[in-house]
Amino acid sequence: MTTTIVVGEVRGGRLLEATSEAVGVARRLGASRVVGVLTLATDDAAVDAFARTGLDALWVVRLDPQLAFTPAAQARSASEAAARESADLVLVGGTVLGRDIAGRLAIRWEAQAVTGVTEVQRIGPTTLGLSRPVFGGRATQELRVDAPRV
Amino acid sequence: MEIAVLVKPVPEAETRLRVAASGTSLDAEGIKWVLAGYDESAVEQALLLKEAHPGTRVRVLAFGPAPRTEEVLRAAIALGCDQATWVEHPIDLLPDPIASARALGVPIAAPLPDLILVGKHAGDDEAGLVGPALGEILGVPSFSGVVDLRWDAARSRFTFQRAVEGGAESVDAPVRLVIGLQQAWNDPRTAKLPNILKSRKAPIEKVPWATVAAAVGDAARRPTLTRFRLPSPRTGAKMIEFKTPDEAAQTLVRILKEEAKVFP
């Protein structure tokens, strides 16, 4: 069984489109279980919106408003969920906070991390093939990542 | 205040990219390496804080192969940085931002500076991961997308705006943190000739690879680069020959109507 964690992101009480897209990517990659993680202070509407994206489970981590928005707190929640769910992949949106979480999570979870990914496919039981633009879009880098990865 | 700035050598913007024989990376032959634009902005931010707050020292650090890394460190010294640290990078180590953060985390940790500045991302891999990864390694807060960074000396705190999707957040944070600047919003200075000459003889602290190898870890910790490719050459372009702008416009309209059939 492969479990993918999707880190949800909320802005102004609304779930970001990047989060819904990440859930879709998790499904396309054949994850048998997709688990959402949402770290926030109060936005209940966003919790409902995230739950409706087709998750198998949703972790909601409630924190003090002064803490909830920090990349460190968000990465801590994602790392905890990834460990407890024995996930092999964590997906974050391609946002400012998404990159912050990815960098911290790579260290905390001892995982490989790649950002700016535009294409992803499963090329083996535990291996993903990725493409990402580099040099301002003047070239493309193709990579292979093994679990665990962000 | 002690400030550290992380920089990276990148190919000059006008560089014609070529694929290396391995097919997995950029061909470095003949490339002119420079301090990345976003890194210049980070150095400028550090120097502005130094000028506004006497007693501040700026240390610039880089992890990369010779000789390009030494050259960008000297460029940063010429701009006004006080101290430079070069972490050696084996030529066969494939680039990875998390590995870079692990390597840089060794010399930067002792003593831990009050502020660590990084650019938005490197102009080559554009990953934007080094700052947050370093924050986790050092156990300090990290924020990317930062604009309008200010130091409130009376309260010993930094204040800044964080540009995030759909808005901005105002943040007030204590010392010892990693800041990723959003863009080149300041106007980086150019080095003066006497400072460039002096920088050539300035001492650079060298951290041997052996010192950081254990922290970086083995290849299993890093993604595998499988291919580096350039866009296919464009085809189908048609050059219009003309003597006057009117003639060019008439030819263009005729082609759009008769050949491209964009309009009747």
Side-chain angles (χ1 to χ4, degrees):
Chain A
M1 189 170 86
T2 58
T3 299
T4 296
I5 302 287
V6 175
V7 181
E9 200 174 331
V10 176
R11 192 84 55 223
R14 296 172 68 95
L15 192 71
L16 291 193
E17 185 64 26
T19 299
S20 310
E21 288 172 9
V23 174
V25 170
R27 290 291 179 210
R28 270 207 310 282
L29 291 174
S32 46
R33 184 171 157 80
V34 180
V35 178
V37 178
L38 201 53
T39 304
L40 74 182
T42 55
D43 299 295
D44 289 327
V47 174
D48 293 341
F50 200 7
R52 285 196 300 271
T53 59
L55 299 171
D56 295 301
L58 174 58
W59 285 46
V60 179
V61 182
R62 298 277 186 199
L63 287 179
D64 180 277
Q66 290 300 312
L67 273 180
F69 80 103
T70 65
Q74 298 270 345
R76 203 174 301 125
S77 303
S79 175
E80 183 76 15
R84 288 212 202 170
E85 295 278 354
S86 300
D88 66 349
L89 170 67
V90 174
L91 292 173
V92 297
T95 61
V96 172
L97 181 62
R99 287 181 191 234
D100 275 349
I101 294 169
R104 299 194 76 105
L105 191 55
I107 299 299
R108 184 171 271 275
W109 195 32
E110 282 282 321
Q112 301 179 1
V114 184
T115 55
V117 172
T118 51
E119 288 178 43
V120 55
Q121 57 183 321
R122 193 168 284 279
I123 57 174
T126 62
T127 308
L128 297 180
L130 314 174
S131 295
R132 60 189 300 271
V134 291
F135 290 97
R138 292 196 294 147
T140 301
Q141 193 179 51
E142 295 180 11
L143 309 98
R144 195 178 66 227
V145 290
D146 294 298
R149 63 239 143 166
V150 185
Chain B
M1 181 166 35
E2 297 291 327
I3 301 176
V5 187
L6 309 186
V7 299
K8 180 182 182 183
V10 298
E12 201 173 32
E14 296 80 22
T15 299
R16 187 161 169 255
L17 303 178
R18 294 186 311 267
V19 180
S22 67
T24 60
S25 62
L26 175 72
D27 181 359
E29 183 71 32
I31 285 180
K32 184 180 181 198
W33 300 88
V34 297
L35 193 58
Y38 290 124
D39 290 349
E40 277 185 333
S41 182
V43 168
E44 179 66 24
Q45 177 66 75
L47 296 176
L48 290 173
L49 286 168
K50 177 184 169 181
E51 288 161 358
H53 304 284
T56 296
R57 283 182 55 79
V58 179
R59 179 190 187 193
V60 59
L61 300 98
F63 173 55
R68 70 184 77 147
T69 309
E70 186 180 344
E71 287 166 9
V72 298
L73 287 171
R74 291 197 185 284
I77 292 172
L79 289 168
C81 293
D82 301 294
Q83 184 189 352
T85 301
W86 172 19
V87 183
E88 276 188 324
H89 181 298
I91 199 74
D92 58 346
L93 181 74
L94 292 172
D96 175 58
I98 301 300
S100 298
R102 291 184 192 279
L104 289 163
V106 174
I108 210 169
L112 197 58
D114 299 306
L115 172 65
I116 300 168
L117 285 170
V118 297
K120 179 184 179 187
H121 57 228
D124 50 2
D125 68 17
E126 302 178 1
L129 288 171
V130 172
L134 193 60
E136 188 68 33
I137 290 166
L138 300 174
V140 300
S142 61
F143 295 94
S144 300
V146 168
V147 294
D148 200 15
L149 175 66
R150 293 167 196 270
W151 168 243
D152 184 339
R155 296 189 305 126
S156 293
R157 293 180 77 88
F158 291 102
T159 60
F160 51 89
Q161 297 286 313
R162 190 161 186 252
V164 291
E165 290 72 15
E169 296 168 345
S170 297
V171 184
D172 178 303
V175 293
R176 298 207 175 88
L177 79 168
V178 181
I179 291 290
L181 296 170
Q182 171 61 12
Q183 57 192 359
W185 60 272
N186 51 29
D187 187 12
R189 65 196 70 189
T190 49
K192 293 180 179 148
L193 184 60
N195 293 343
I196 294 173
L197 296 175
K198 265 197 279 184
S199 74
R200 289 181 185 162
K201 292 182 181 171
I204 290 182
E205 179 195 12
K206 200 166 163 183
V207 178
W209 165 245
T211 307
V212 302
V216 172
D218 62 20
R221 276 177 150 181
R222 298 184 281 282
T224 306
L225 300 174
T226 55
R227 194 176 173 207
F228 180 84
R229 60 183 162 86
L230 303 176
S232 305
R234 289 181 186 173
T235 56
K238 185 164 188 168
M239 302 302 291
I240 298 173
E241 306 270 338
F242 63 93
K243 288 183 182 149
T244 65
D246 278 355
E247 185 188 343
Q250 285 170 17
T251 308
L252 180 60
V253 168
R254 183 186 57 76
I255 290 171
L256 290 173
K257 282 172 91 167
E258 297 174 8
E259 297 181 23
K261 300 193 187 305
V262 172
F263 49 84

